[in-house]
């Protein structure tokens, strides 16, 4: 493959499962990204793929993990009783999730403990809440990096590290194609943030307004960055029918990414 291709995966919570067919496209072509950068759920999927795990296995494990609501709830209850507790209850942080415990509950036990031990160079993107600066994790403990990248405000508590308060990378760089391509290689970028119309078809509900405003801001950031440093290919799976919280529709969300996966596969075949 000439030249090497880097891969960037956006945030998007449950919608991030649509990244999996993009990874499958690389496997189908018999090539690997030279490096991977991800934000939030894109960092989680990216780390799994960077570990050397075949994308087909990521698909199967994801579907199996979220196949039964009772199994997921059982894992969550076990995590709450052990591992220091999953939920952080207090008057100021009621119900916020501990990101490290959450990741340890659902990620495979055999993931390499450190980023530099992954099979493919990998960067997880987070943001310093106090300064607004991007924080890039390309080495160090993998779970800490992913925890910082997925720390969605008001849902998942921030990670405190070296005097910094770290939150979800989507606040500053929801699609880190500039990070993935920092060594000059062309980048394939997958956007699963998307826009979603209000269910009512009219004035959005308060929850839809908050989510929609956040998505609009993230899309604005992505467009500005893409104008400065365009990715070689940007794909956007048709995930408009799914919400951030549709984890129990994992199989359907993955299937929604298959057309984008075929687009990536066609592009890669031109590069081989």
């Amino acid at each position: 493959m000439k030249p090497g291709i880097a891969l960037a995966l956006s945030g998007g919570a449950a919608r991030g499962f649509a990244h999996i067919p993009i990874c499958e496209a690389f496997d189908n072509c018999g090539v690997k990204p030279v490096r991977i950068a991800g934000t939030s759920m894109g960092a989680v999927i990216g780390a799994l793929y960077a570990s050397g795990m075949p994308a087909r296995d990521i698909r199967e494990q994801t579907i199996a993990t979220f196949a039964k609501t009772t199994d997921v709830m059982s894992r969550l209850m076990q995590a709450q009783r052990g591992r220091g507790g999953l939920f952080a209850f207090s008057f100021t942080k009621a119900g916020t999730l501990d990101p490290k415990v959450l990741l340890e509950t659902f990620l495979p036990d055999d993931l390499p403990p450190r980023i530099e031990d992954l099979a493919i160079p990998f960067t997880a993107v987070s943001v310093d809440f106090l300064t607004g600066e991007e924080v890039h994790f390309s080495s160090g403990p993998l779970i800490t990096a992913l925890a910082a990248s997925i720390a969605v405000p008001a849902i998942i508590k921030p990670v405190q590290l070296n005097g910094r308060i770290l939150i979800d990378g989507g606040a500053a760089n929801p699609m880190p194609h500039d990070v993935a391509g920092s060594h000059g290689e062309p980048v394939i970028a997958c956007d699963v943030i998307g826009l979603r119309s209000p269910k009512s078809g009219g004035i959005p509900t308060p929850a839809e307004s908050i989510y929609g405003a956040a998505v609009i801001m993230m899309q604005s950031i992505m467009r500005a960055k893409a104008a400065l440093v365009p990715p070689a290919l940007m794909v956007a799976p048709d995930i408009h029918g799914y919400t951030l919280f549709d984890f129990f529709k994992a199989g359907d969300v993955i299937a929604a990414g298959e057309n984008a996966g075929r687009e990536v596969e066609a592009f890669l075949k031109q590069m081989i």
Side-chain angles (χ1 to χ4, degrees), residues 3-267:
I5 300 286
L7 176 63
L9 304 176
S10 79
R15 290 174 160 195
F17 294 150
H19 288 315
I20 294 173
I22 310 306
C23 300
E24 288 177 330
F26 278 87
D27 286 351
N28 291 342
C29 292
V31 298
K32 293 293 184 183
V34 292
R35 60 184 44 82
I36 300 172
T39 294
S40 201
M41 182 58 85
V44 175
I45 300 299
L48 290 172
Y49 192 49
S51 74
M53 189 175 182
R56 174 62 61 173
D57 291 354
I58 298 174
R59 175 194 285 255
E60 293 175 355
Q61 182 164 318
T62 299
I63 292 173
T65 297
F66 295 99
K68 294 183 179 179
T69 306
T70 52
D71 290 347
V72 172
M73 295 307 298
S74 176
R75 287 195 189 199
L76 293 174
M77 293 305 297
Q78 290 176 12
Q80 178 61 17
R81 288 193 293 267
R83 303 189 187 187
L86 175 61
F87 296 93
F89 291 103
S90 74
F91 288 110
T92 58
K93 297 185 292 185
T96 55
L97 296 163
D98 184 309
K100 290 186 179 180
V101 175
L102 189 64
L103 290 165
E104 290 168 351
T105 299
F106 289 102
L107 288 181
D109 293 331
D110 57 353
L111 274 181
R114 298 185 65 81
I115 295 173
E116 52 266 45
D117 296 330
L118 296 173
I120 298 171
F122 170 75
T123 302
V125 176
S126 181
V127 179
D128 187 324
F129 179 75
L130 299 179
T131 67
E133 295 176 330
E134 290 183 36
V135 178
H136 299 164
F137 290 90
S138 299
S139 62
L142 178 60
I143 291 296
T144 299
L146 296 180
S149 191
I150 70 168
V152 179
I155 298 175
I156 300 176
K157 70 180 183 179
V159 171
Q160 297 184 55
L161 183 68
N162 300 327
R164 287 179 150 175
I165 298 175
L166 304 176
I167 63 171
D168 189 294
N173 197 349
M175 166 61 76
H177 71 273
D178 54 331
V179 179
S182 60
H183 288 66
E185 298 92 356
V187 179
I188 291 175
C190 182
D191 167 23
V192 296
I193 296 172
L195 295 173
R196 188 166 183 265
S197 301
K199 290 181 180 179
S200 63
I203 297 174
T205 65
E208 287 172 338
S209 295
I210 293 170
Y211 168 64
V215 168
I216 290 169
M217 287 188 288
M218 287 189 284
Q219 290 283 358
S220 295
I221 294 169
M222 288 167 52
R223 284 195 296 269
K225 285 181 174 288
L228 290 172
V229 185
L233 176 68
M234 174 83 82
V235 294
D238 184 9
I239 39 71
H240 294 85
Y242 302 99
T243 73
L244 298 172
F245 305 105
D246 278 333
F247 291 95
F248 295 111
K249 297 180 181 178
D252 293 334
V253 177
I254 293 170
E258 289 175 354
N259 283 340
R262 284 188 280 272
E263 187 177 349
V264 170
E265 189 170 340
F267 179 83

